[in-house]
Amino acid sequence: MEQVINELLETIMSNQLNVPVLQPILDSVSQLPMVGLIVSFILWKPVFALLICPGLSTVGILLLFFPWIERKLCARIQWRVGPREIVPWLGGLIQLIADTLRFLFQEVIVHRDAHRPYFLQFPFLSFLAALLPLLFLNAGNVMAIETPYAIQALLALVCLFPFFILGLGWASNSRFAFIGTVREAFMYFAYEVSFIIAVLAMIILFGTSNPMLMADKPWGIILNPIAAFTFFVGAAMATSRMPFEIPEADQEVAAGPHVEYSGIAFGLIYVMCYEKAYILAGLMTVLFLGGGSGPVIIAGLGELNGVMWFLIKTVIVLTTLFVLRTIYPRYRLDQGLNIGWGVMISLSLIALALSIVLVQGGVI
Amino acid sequence: MEKDEINRNMHILKTGVLSPAKRWSSKWSLWPCHFVTSCCGVELAHAFACGFDGERLGTLNMGISRQANFIIVEGTITRKMARALRIVWEQMPDPKFVNVIGACGQRGGIFWNSYNITRPSEIVPVDFFIPGCPITPESLLRGVRAVQDKIDGKDETTIKFKKVALPSDGTGQESTVPTSPKRFAPTPLVKLDIPRDVDWAFGSTMVGNLKSQLGGLYKSITITDKNRIAIKTAPEDLVDVARKLSGNMGLDHVKSVNVIDVPHERKFILEYMVSSYSSSELMPVIISIFTEIGREAEPEFPSLTPLWESADYSEREMHDFFGIKYEGNSGMNAKFLLAPETQTPLRKDFKLAEESYVYDESVPLNPEIELTSDLKMPAPEELYDEAEASDEFMILVGPHHTGSGHLRWILRVKGDRIVDVTPDPGYVHRSMEKIAENRLYIQNIPLYERANISDPFCMNLGYVHVIEKALEIEVPERAKYIRTMLAELSRIGAFFYDSGIFALFTGHSTGFMYVWAIREMILEATVRMTGSRCTPSFIIPGGIRRDVSKDVLDMISNFVSAVNKRLKKFEDIFIYNPVFIARTKGVGVLTKQEAIKYGLVGPFLRASGVDYDIRKVEPYEAYDKFNWEVTTGDAGDCLGRYMGRYEEIKQSLSILKQAVDALKKMPRGDVISEAVLGDYKAASEDIKGHFYHAYGNLVLPKGEWTSVVESARGTLLHSIISDGDSNVPYRSRIVTPCWMNLRGIVEASKGERVADFWTIYGSFGYFPPEADR
Amino acid sequence: MKKVTVQDQSTLEKAKCHAAAIGVAMKESIYPLTATVQYPRQRKKMPDNFRGYILFDPEKCINCWECAFICPANAIRMKEAPNKKYYPTVDYGKCIFCHFCIDSCSGGALRTTKIHDVAYKDMDDMVTLTEEMIEPPEIIREDKTLVEYQIDKKDLQIKKTREVDYLFVDEVPPSVEIPMVSQCIDGASCIGCHVCEQVCESGAISSAIANGVMRMKIDTDTCTGCGLCVKECSMQILKLVRK
């Protein structure tokens, strides 16, 4: 028994997050009996990845503040101010907290025609499902489950989302939810193939599917911009962003699968959309923007430097993804499918060919 | 019950350990479910667009009732809409709040005695009432603040009046209560064919031509005014006359279908106004064919729809209003505009509540509105069966839907293709025609303006023209130029309104915001000129209410050049956006023949290649003095319709420039015709103080008076039948462009994809209050 | 006639247009042309002729009822005051702010204010009695800054000044005063019903019997030209003419 604990402790201590700035504090804290153990447990890389970054805490903070960034930026582009009066001197920074709390306290209506168990289960399930890929996402050197097949695993989990959206729509049993769900199903097949090929192109290019190793290579977006473009468009399609906001088209099918949800159930779906976008943005960062690599600005951050760069890059990608809605109207379903099955697959194949040529040519 | 409901919401917020958090979050997260029911929606959009940006207060417009917690009832709730309001309210999760904006939603405003409106406060519990017609964006936001304060526990009216004792000294003599200024002739003379001597050479050849064509089928052919001919026939001959006119004469569309009820002579007069798009010399001519039939409970008459498709919806409307069954029209077994319980309201024996001029606390302020307990939305059962049988899917769009506006569309789709579209209008039918019969001529100016507050000046102009035509008033030169300027300003405003809605329908919120900023400039100029943002009621018979100052003229001339900066950005981000072009090009095509057949009007007709613009065909105001061109196109698709209008706006900007330049050179003053002012001609610069004296007792000569103007969305036809004695119209008919274009939307959508429906809808610039009137 | 045709975009043009659209968004995110009036804290300046809440001055009212008669929404009803005169009350649940009443008021007793942002808790409060229309009302205001829209040759400019706008407009009498008097145009038709004499507020109308026939006499000096008698004359033989 003691041996097991010792081994475990050894594992934890051998894989600690190295942050020179915090070291003096950590040293003093580690003198205390229980606290030291907890701190070292949290700083154990897999746990740190799961709980802090890129895991739950980051997701939580991002969810509370990223929509604010999005709303403010969109408002700015649209010659408006955006949320503000709630705390004028902070520019309405805590707007999302109010919205979230309001959803939390509001009544959840399950309408007569809905399939009650599924109607209530799917928002929670989809929320959880959207958290799973975080296990395989790395921020710099921090990763929950280190495996050479992380990218593939992540991709497989990402591909799970649409099923939950289909479930939401099915359980809602409403005409608009039905159309929205069918649209989601169509769009799913349209983007998925090209999306996977684009990732494949990058795996071939880097010769590895371990995201940790990818960070040392040159940025993917420079090596294979076509793959980056395909991936970005695929991400926009996957997260239903403009101009591919086809399944949730507000003016056409009244938010599609989400039309009947209220209260915290809708809150979870709303959050799920952002989570999904965050994961895809994270993946884009890892694959194309060099992950956590970046110059050391604040000395002594150690491994946190990678985490910081990962976050900065991810937020930039996210913002770009979300600001698309101020630039584009929405495509029609058949046009979306055309782009997915036609242009995007062609581009992804070209990207794949480019990767092979680059690898064969010995560029990388 | 109502008060309990309000208290229940507050109770939810006030109980529990977490009540401070509940209150705080509800306060800052009031998401209005934009229940756009009427014209106040225009100002609501301004409040949430870049001009005022309601999102600052944490109120984010949400189209879906399940996720919203706040309804802003925008004005009129008609009998048909009442059910929708209740359903939407019931769909929202607790706690929820309701604000009613605009006078229509309180005591009815200008429509207070309409047969088709209800009071929202009797349908849902209301937290705050905001006066205005329409409200200003500021007052809407004040309403939001009031709800926020209420959540905080400060539930109060935001205005406090100081009471001052009234003078008690005086003669002490009882003053008498004067009688109502309205005068109804007891046995009015209703004649549609009263000849008028006009200088119109083509008219006599036309009459000769008609006489030889029609043989013995007519009773009389009269020139009633310039470009107006009335043909009286026997009831059994009307169809033959119509066949000859449509076949041989090239009169290819119906401008208006009208029925006049003459109870004291026990007859209905049935009238069709027809004109031509294909022959250029017939374009300005409007021929009215009419006949008299017995006044029965449900008279039957053959429909002219087989000859003129464009008569279809108007015949259904007359069926609703008078109970006349047009045999051969497919819509005769259900109500089209009205709720099922309203029976033949435009017959003269259907009386509206009378005005009371004396304040009396014991008299209720509102006429009793009977709400039937079963406010059922007319569900077309047979459509469901039909769709089921043919393996189609039915989508009900509206009346509360982010992309429906205030009417319901029943789409039948097969796969992603639309098989059929059934419109279900009337959700904002506020019974203008009936109300107009009960008001002084001058009181109908604001009434008819409410048909379309995004295009107010053109609406004004249409009605005022009828009076001026009938009384043969010549408008002073300066007033003509100002009116032209105003009409163009409002045309530009309406185009930007439609662009914004179109942008929203394609999912482009930035496009919406950008044009709303431009509209904000237009409204700023309007408010400086008239004192009101959207409902100026500025154009009056014989001129305009007061002269326009030089500052405003400068502002407008600056606007013409300043608009380019923002317009360029709008162009880049929306109009020439490849996604927008992909969405609209080749979608919803109407050929020239189809456009004429379905009686399209305005820029949407021109987009299909018909060169018809009333400003050129029958020039009015100062349009013939300016240098401008009519824009047409051949494509007839959504993009063609939109770009045609966009080009037209560039022409409008040039007219605006020319008009302002001319006005700056003109001396100030004299903007109201002496012919109307009479003794008050010194007031020709500003009517203030003499409005009632000059206009209170207008009486039109007997006969039928028809005017057409080119409003922003097309031909606006006003027709008034006067008995020459009453100072209220005997019958007033308004045919709005959107009403005529309704058929166009239906036909253009058939065979297109589901998502295209909203593009087509948006491209037609459909404004439901204007269509439903 | 101008024909509008829209050409198909070539791939290059499409790319250019995409770039232009993205360019606008990027530019606006850095230097936006924000046009927002942040209402509760800022207030937009309205012109003096703005049509808002109505104030009333009983001193100037000649009791002619014209405001009530012209009101298209029947929002104005006359209420009897202690001095037996009838003064207007306004029902803001009906008022459409067309200000036909103000334009009709020949005495200048009604005047406008710039108040328009009001929320009522109860619909019954919306009837404003004459007593409440005399003094300027108080509204809840949070504004500290006044915003004025100005349009110059280049663009919409938003001018902000730190001041609290005064919402009331000094009385503007009718720009043209036209003294009017009542006149009998067809004395022979008079049936001698005395209605005009009864309704006359200023006592300008008197009756006299001459040659066995009764005739009305109108004193042009005391006649205020209110037009009440003209409206009430059962034979419609009175007319307002210029003095």
Side-chain angles (χ1 to χ4, degrees):
Chain A
M1 188 63 198
E2 210 166 292
Q3 198 187 349
V4 176
I5 294 173
N6 278 339
E7 263 179 37
L8 198 67
L9 271 177
E10 208 169 296
T11 328
I12 291 176
M13 294 317 288
S14 67
N15 200 5
Q16 283 279 311
L17 193 73
N18 173 28
V19 189
V21 181
L22 296 179
Q23 211 53 52
I25 308 168
L26 292 178
D27 286 341
S28 58
V29 166
S30 61
Q31 306 303 318
L32 305 165
M34 270 316 280
V35 182
L37 202 65
I38 292 170
V39 167
S40 19
F41 185 66
I42 288 172
L43 288 180
W44 185 27
K45 275 186 189 170
V47 173
F48 184 83
L50 207 58
L51 292 183
I52 314 288
C53 184
L56 292 172
S57 311
T58 314
V59 170
I61 291 169
L62 213 61
L63 285 175
L64 283 181
F65 297 105
F66 180 72
W68 174 82
I69 298 177
E70 179 213 343
R71 276 165 76 171
K72 278 300 242 193
L73 188 63
C74 290
R76 201 174 160 83
I77 293 173
Q78 295 177 344
W79 304 341
R80 295 187 287 130
V81 176
R84 166 143 203 213
E85 301 297 316
I86 186 163
V87 268
W89 53 278
L90 274 178
L93 185 67
I94 54 174
Q95 180 62 50
L96 259 288
I97 299 175
D99 287 342
T100 317
L101 277 178
R102 200 260 293 173
F103 275 128
L104 195 66
F105 292 129
Q106 260 196 322
E107 186 186 6
V108 177
I109 299 172
V110 184
H111 60 115
R112 200 170 40 194
D113 296 336
H115 187 288
R116 196 182 168 90
Y118 288 165
F119 186 82
L120 290 174
Q121 280 165 21
F122 271 114
F124 292 91
L125 284 176
S126 59
F127 177 76
L128 291 178
L131 286 175
L132 281 181
L134 285 174
L135 291 173
F136 299 101
L137 196 62
N138 73 319
N141 289 336
V142 188
M143 192 170 178
I145 301 177
E146 265 184 70
T147 142
Y149 306 109
I151 300 285
Q152 287 93 324
L154 203 151
L155 210 57
L157 290 171
V158 164
C159 294
L160 266 180
F161 298 154
F163 293 104
F164 291 97
I165 297 176
L166 298 191
L168 291 173
W170 184 83
S172 295
N173 192 13
S174 137
R175 277 163 196 275
F176 290 119
F178 173 69
I179 303 171
T181 313
V182 172
R183 286 178 170 199
E184 174 75 31
F186 270 116
M187 286 307 290
Y188 171 46
F189 289 110
Y191 72 78
E192 204 73 305
V193 180
S194 56
F195 187 69
I196 291 172
I197 297 177
V199 177
L200 208 61
M202 293 321 286
I203 294 175
I204 290 173
L205 187 62
F206 289 132
T208 171
S209 57
N210 187 348
M212 304 277 210
L213 301 176
M214 286 179 179
D216 310 330
K217 308 266 167 73
W219 284 21
I221 195 165
I222 299 161
L223 292 174
N224 195 341
I226 302 169
F229 178 73
T230 319
F231 185 93
F232 186 73
V233 175
M237 283 179 168
T239 51
S240 294
R241 291 293 114 207
M242 291 288 179
F244 303 104
E245 197 215 24
I246 298 164
E248 290 161 25
D250 212 16
Q251 285 77 22
E252 292 165 18
V253 293
H258 318 158
V259 64
E260 295 292 351
Y261 282 93
S262 56
I264 191 63
F266 174 73
L268 285 175
I269 297 171
Y270 190 73
V271 159
M272 193 259 295
C273 295
Y274 279 94
E275 261 180 35
K276 196 162 123 187
Y278 163 65
I279 287 160
L280 291 178
L283 187 57
M284 175 130 193
T285 312
V286 169
L287 285 178
F288 298 100
L289 301 176
S293 67
V296 179
I297 295 173
I298 306 164
L301 271 186
E303 281 177 316
L304 270 186
N305 191 47
V307 174
M308 187 188 79
W309 277 110
F310 169 80
L311 276 181
I312 290 173
K313 287 172 188 173
T314 308
V315 169
I316 289 171
V317 175
L318 259 183
T319 316
T320 324
L321 204 57
F322 277 80
V323 163
L324 278 181
R325 82 171 161 95
T326 63
I327 304 173
Y328 287 114
R330 152 188 331 116
Y331 275 119
R332 208 164 51 211
L333 178 60
D334 61 314
Q335 289 166 339
L337 295 181
N338 242 332
I339 291 170
W341 284 109
V343 184
M344 283 305 130
I345 288 197
S346 325
L347 279 179
S348 65
L349 289 175
I350 294 170
L352 191 66
L354 183 66
S355 287
I356 294 168
V357 168
L358 285 177
V359 173
Q360 293 297 319
V363 179
I364 184 162
Chain B
M1 187 274 314
E2 309 297 338
K3 285 284 162 208
D4 290 351
E5 289 283 3
I6 295 179
N7 293 340
R8 190 165 64 90
N9 279 325
M10 285 314 292
H11 181 74
I12 295 171
L13 289 177
K14 278 183 184 159
T15 46
V17 189
L18 293 170
S19 90
K22 276 188 201 173
R23 284 220 297 269
W24 177 78
S25 61
S26 286
K27 179 183 172 187
W28 290 110
S29 177
L30 289 166
W31 284 16
C33 157
H34 51 99
F35 195 67
V36 185
T37 57
S38 202
C39 23
C40 278
V42 175
E43 283 291 48
L44 174 117
H46 274 283
F48 285 96
C50 49
F52 291 88
D53 190 24
E55 203 189 333
R56 282 179 300 112
L57 296 159
T59 57
L60 184 70
N61 253 319
M62 194 76 189
I64 300 130
S65 44
R66 296 273 189 219
Q67 290 132 35
N69 62 344
F70 184 36
I71 302 187
I72 300 179
V73 180
E74 287 124 53
T76 329
I77 296 294
T78 59
R79 283 173 188 278
K80 260 180 144 174
M81 200 59 156
R83 180 80 180 140
L85 174 62
R86 184 74 201 181
I87 291 174
V88 169
W89 184 80
E90 280 169 3
Q91 276 180 345
M92 293 197 331
D94 281 336
K96 52 198 167 190
F97 303 90
V98 183
N99 267 12
V100 172
I101 63 175
C104 299
Q106 288 139 19
R107 288 213 184 79
I110 198 163
F111 307 108
W112 66 278
N113 58 355
S114 155
Y115 56 76
N116 206 32
I117 68 161
T118 61
R119 274 185 287 278
S121 55
E122 289 167 18
I123 299 160
V124 290
V126 177
D127 293 279
F128 284 98
F129 298 91
I130 297 141
C133 186
I135 44 87
T136 50
E138 285 102 323
S139 53
L140 186 138
L141 296 179
R142 172 52 58 200
V144 176
R145 289 295 286 181
V147 175
Q148 290 183 339
D149 285 347
K150 180 178 178 158
I151 294 170
D152 270 350
K154 215 172 77 183
D155 181 13
E156 58 180 21
T157 298
T158 68
I159 189 165
K160 281 198 187 64
F161 293 103
K162 290 171 209 151
K163 279 206 176 187
V164 174
L166 289 176
S168 53
D169 55 320
T171 51
Q173 192 187 345
E174 289 271 338
S175 42
T176 47
V177 176
T179 49
S180 162
K182 292 192 293 185
R183 195 170 65 243
F184 294 94
T187 51
L189 178 73
V190 184
K191 259 185 101 172
L192 268 56
D193 49 348
I194 288 169
R196 179 177 250 191
D197 273 336
V198 281
D199 175 28
W200 184 32
F202 180 65
S204 35
T205 47
M206 180 83 197
V207 170
N209 199 357
L210 278 170
K211 280 184 176 161
S212 65
Q213 285 278 349
L214 294 178
L217 290 172
Y218 65 92
K219 280 188 178 165
S220 70
I221 297 181
T222 329
I223 297 179
T224 52
D225 200 352
K226 198 182 172 194
N227 291 338
R228 307 284 181 266
I229 294 173
I231 305 175
K232 186 178 183 178
T233 70
E236 60 276 11
D237 291 336
L238 192 116
V239 179
D240 293 327
V241 170
R243 190 166 295 129
K244 290 227 155 120
L245 290 180
S246 68
N248 307 350
M249 301 282 295
L251 293 159
D252 47 24
H253 70 284
V254 170
K255 277 218 176 331
S256 156
V257 179
N258 198 358
V259 175
I260 300 117
D261 179 21
V262 194
H264 55 278
E265 292 177 29
R266 297 181 171 282
K267 66 181 183 190
F268 281 125
I269 302 173
L270 267 58
E271 189 191 20
Y272 285 86
M273 284 190 188
V274 294
S275 184
S276 174
Y277 285 148
S278 30
S279 137
S280 61
E281 58 179 1
L282 282 180
M283 272 181 186
V285 183
I286 296 177
I287 296 177
S288 114
I289 332 162
F290 68 96
T291 187
E292 291 167 0
I293 60 167
R295 192 175 187 276
E296 294 150 32
E298 201 165 306
E300 293 191 350
F301 196 77
S303 161
L304 294 191
T305 322
L307 294 172
W308 288 305
E309 284 269 350
S310 37
D312 186 3
Y313 289 168
S314 298
E315 279 181 356
R316 295 188 199 192
E317 190 191 358
M318 288 303 136
H319 170 245
D320 279 10
F321 288 169
F322 293 96
I324 290 169
K325 235 183 151 93
Y326 290 91
E327 290 161 23
N329 188 320
S330 57
M332 287 298 123
N333 41 13
K335 288 264 193 289
F336 196 50
L337 273 177
L338 302 181
E341 75 263 18
T342 322
Q343 296 299 331
T344 61
L346 258 81
R347 290 193 180 196
K348 286 280 173 189
D349 41 19
F350 188 105
K351 297 280 184 221
L352 299 182
E354 278 291 310
E355 278 97 347
S356 65
Y357 297 108
V358 184
Y359 178 83
D360 185 351
E361 269 165 17
S362 60
V363 178
L365 283 158
N366 330 305
E368 195 81 14
I369 292 174
E370 271 179 46
L371 284 173
T372 42
S373 56
D374 179 32
L375 287 162
K376 215 169 161 188
M377 292 221 244
E381 292 290 337
E382 68 278 4
L383 272 178
Y384 277 100
D385 298 341
E386 233 174 85
E388 189 118 327
S390 52
D391 194 26
E392 289 161 2
F393 190 68
M394 263 177 60
I395 315 173
L396 297 161
V397 181
H400 172 251
H401 182 280
T402 336
S404 78
H406 358 217
L407 82 165
R408 185 164 67 160
W409 300 95
I410 301 161
L411 307 187
R412 274 167 55 191
V413 297
K414 196 155 195 163
D416 201 28
R417 292 274 179 197
I418 298 171
V419 179
D420 198 6
V421 181
T422 315
D424 179 13
Y427 287 88
V428 238
H429 174 65
R430 294 154 297 180
S431 65
M432 286 192 178
E433 291 178 11
K434 181 71 179 181
I435 294 175
E437 288 174 17
N438 289 282
R439 302 254 167 96
L440 299 177
Y441 280 105
I442 193 73
Q443 288 178 335
N444 289 336
I445 289 180
L447 178 76
Y448 277 128
E449 189 182 54
R450 262 64 178 177
N452 186 345
I453 66 164
S454 67
D455 182 18
F457 292 115
C458 289
M459 290 287 136
N460 268 185
L461 209 52
Y463 178 70
V464 165
H465 269 195
V466 193
I467 298 176
E468 283 170 1
K469 245 181 192 321
L471 295 170
E472 293 180 282
I473 297 167
E474 187 59 34
V475 179
E477 192 74 359
R478 184 171 167 90
K480 271 188 183 175
Y481 275 76
I482 294 177
R483 283 175 173 203
T484 314
M485 180 183 82
L486 295 177
E488 289 313 305
L489 202 60
S490 116
R491 190 182 315 280
I492 297 165
F495 167 75
F496 287 130
Y497 177 88
D498 290 345
S499 299
I501 299 299
F502 197 7
L504 267 194
F505 278 5
T506 54
H508 200 301
S509 49
T510 311
F512 167 82
M513 296 292 172
Y514 281 15
V515 285
W516 242 257
I518 300 173
R519 262 184 72 78
E520 205 64 60
M521 288 199 248
I522 295 172
L523 294 194
E524 184 62 24
T526 315
V527 79
R528 296 258 175 112
M529 219 175 329
T530 68
S532 171
R533 282 166 61 91
C534 293
T535 49
S537 303
F538 197 58
I539 296 171
I540 51 175
I544 50 171
R545 266 162 90 169
R546 55 188 54 88
D547 200 0
V548 174
S549 71
K550 195 177 165 298
D551 291 349
V552 175
L553 290 179
D554 280 341
M555 193 173 191
I556 294 173
S557 87
N558 283 347
F559 164 74
V560 175
S561 54
V563 73
N564 287 323
K565 183 173 177 187
R566 285 173 191 255
L567 204 53
K568 176 76 178 59
K569 292 190 189 280
F570 176 64
E571 253 180 15
D572 281 348
I573 210 160
F574 181 66
I575 300 180
Y576 294 126
N577 195 316
V579 182
F580 172 70
I581 290 179
R583 275 303 298 277
T584 48
K585 198 163 168 66
V587 170
V589 179
L590 285 178
T591 60
K592 188 172 177 178
Q593 283 73 28
E594 281 172 326
I596 293 173
K597 185 176 160 200
Y598 300 127
L600 257 61
V601 291
F604 317 109
L605 176 73
R606 293 195 282 276
S608 292
V610 183
D611 181 17
Y612 179 87
D613 189 322
I614 293 165
R615 292 174 291 171
K616 283 277 192 222
V617 168
E618 198 186 26
Y620 54 93
E621 304 307 338
Y623 282 112
D624 46 355
K625 299 200 176 64
F626 302 130
N627 182 21
W628 63 283
E629 283 175 302
V630 178
T631 48
T632 62
D634 287 327
D637 57 356
C638 290
L639 188 62
R641 279 189 282 273
Y642 184 75
M643 295 307 277
R645 273 187 91 180
Y646 183 46
E647 190 52 45
E648 198 176 297
I649 291 320
K650 288 185 179 161
Q651 298 288 331
S652 289
L653 284 169
S654 126
I655 298 176
L656 204 57
K657 182 85 190 149
Q658 294 173 45
V660 176
D661 287 347
L663 276 169
K664 276 186 183 167
K665 287 183 198 124
M666 266 182 217
R668 263 183 71 92
D670 195 24
V671 289
I672 308 169
S673 162
E674 286 182 14
V676 220
L677 288 175
D679 290 330
Y680 306 96
K681 60 174 168 281
S684 68
E685 195 177 325
D686 188 346
I687 194 68
K688 193 172 162 77
H690 310 287
F691 195 69
Y692 185 78
H693 298 150
Y695 292 102
N697 200 20
L698 278 183
V699 179
L700 261 55
K702 55 178 161 294
E704 175 168 36
W705 308 105
T706 311
S707 84
V708 278
V709 295
E710 184 76 21
S711 81
R713 296 170 180 90
T715 312
L716 171 71
L717 181 138
H718 266 285
S719 155
I720 290 182
I721 289 138
S722 167
D723 53 24
D725 195 9
S726 324
N727 57 7
V728 296
Y730 186 80
R731 168 97 173 90
S732 173
R733 172 93 177 124
I734 168 175
V735 182
T736 47
C738 288
W739 178 245
M740 298 309 285
N741 288 332
L742 184 56
R743 185 63 191 267
I745 303 176
V746 171
E747 296 300 332
S749 306
K750 285 182 185 165
E752 297 292 350
R753 289 179 184 277
V754 175
D756 284 336
F757 173 72
W758 285 273
T759 336
I760 293 164
Y761 186 29
S763 77
F764 270 96
Y766 192 74
F767 194 72
E770 184 186 299
D772 292 351
R773 289 150 290 159
Chain C
M1 191 174 78
K2 194 164 185 179
K3 267 220 153 59
V4 180
T5 42
V6 189
Q7 302 294 330
D8 267 323
Q9 285 173 313
S10 68
T11 316
L12 188 68
E13 275 168 343
K14 269 187 196 165
K16 262 189 199 164
C17 289
H18 275 295
I22 294 166
V24 170
M26 284 171 76
K27 205 172 161 195
E28 292 310 308
S29 60
I30 299 161
Y31 295 114
L33 298 172
T34 310
T36 307
V37 180
Q38 304 190 17
Y39 164 66
R41 286 183 293 106
Q42 301 176 347
R43 178 180 281 270
K44 194 160 157 186
K45 190 179 162 77
M46 289 299 187
D48 280 353
N49 63 350
F50 182 75
R51 298 195 208 144
Y53 268 57
I54 298 164
L55 290 185
F56 174 69
D57 184 355
E59 304 269 296
K60 292 184 180 162
C61 179
I62 57 165
N63 217 10
C64 66
W65 289 64
E66 279 168 5
C67 48
F69 289 157
I70 199 75
C71 181
N74 195 210
I76 299 184
R77 285 162 210 242
M78 305 300 273
K79 184 169 176 277
E80 199 175 12
N83 63 357
K84 301 287 180 202
K85 279 193 172 187
Y86 281 92
Y87 291 133
T89 64
V90 180
D91 179 359
Y92 285 106
K94 272 183 178 175
C95 180
I96 57 164
F97 297 92
C98 64
H99 283 196
F100 276 7
C101 46
I102 293 183
D103 275 358
S104 293
C105 189
S106 40
L110 294 171
R111 63 183 198 277
T112 183
T113 65
K114 293 191 222 172
I115 293 179
H116 55 106
D117 48 333
V118 176
Y120 285 91
K121 205 174 90 178
D122 202 330
M123 212 157 71
D124 294 337
D125 301 343
M126 298 183 89
V127 181
T128 312
L129 300 177
T130 321
E131 292 93 316
E132 297 167 333
M133 286 168 61
I134 299 168
E135 279 287 304
E138 249 177 52
I139 53 167
I140 293 182
R141 287 179 71 171
E142 294 163 59
D143 55 304
K144 303 274 184 301
T145 313
L146 184 66
V147 182
E148 198 178 352
Y149 269 19
Q150 286 172 338
I151 303 174
D152 63 17
K153 287 241 177 292
K154 284 204 194 84
D155 195 15
L156 172 70
Q157 305 294 337
I158 291 160
K159 203 180 121 196
K160 291 180 184 170
T161 38
R162 268 197 91 73
E163 62 176 288
V164 179
D165 196 13
Y166 180 65
L167 296 181
F168 304 98
V169 186
D170 296 329
E171 297 160 46
V172 188
S175 59
V176 208
E177 294 255 8
I178 307 171
M180 305 297 286
V181 285
S182 178
Q183 194 183 54
C184 188
I185 48 169
D186 185 9
S189 303
C190 180
I191 54 168
C193 64
H194 295 274
V195 167
C196 48
E197 194 179 353
Q198 282 161 16
V199 296
C200 187
E201 296 273 317
S202 51
I205 301 178
S206 56
S207 58
I209 297 175
N211 305 337
V213 185
M214 198 185 68
R215 285 274 177 269
M216 309 312 295
K217 196 168 164 290
I218 301 166
D219 181 13
T220 46
D221 292 333
T222 39
C223 177
T224 55
C226 65
L228 260 184
C229 49
V230 177
K231 209 149 37 217
E232 289 305 302
C233 178
S234 22
M235 297 306 289
Q236 297 285 316
I237 50 173
L238 291 175
K239 199 176 177 240
L240 276 182
V241 294
R242 293 188 73 175
K243 209 166 187 170

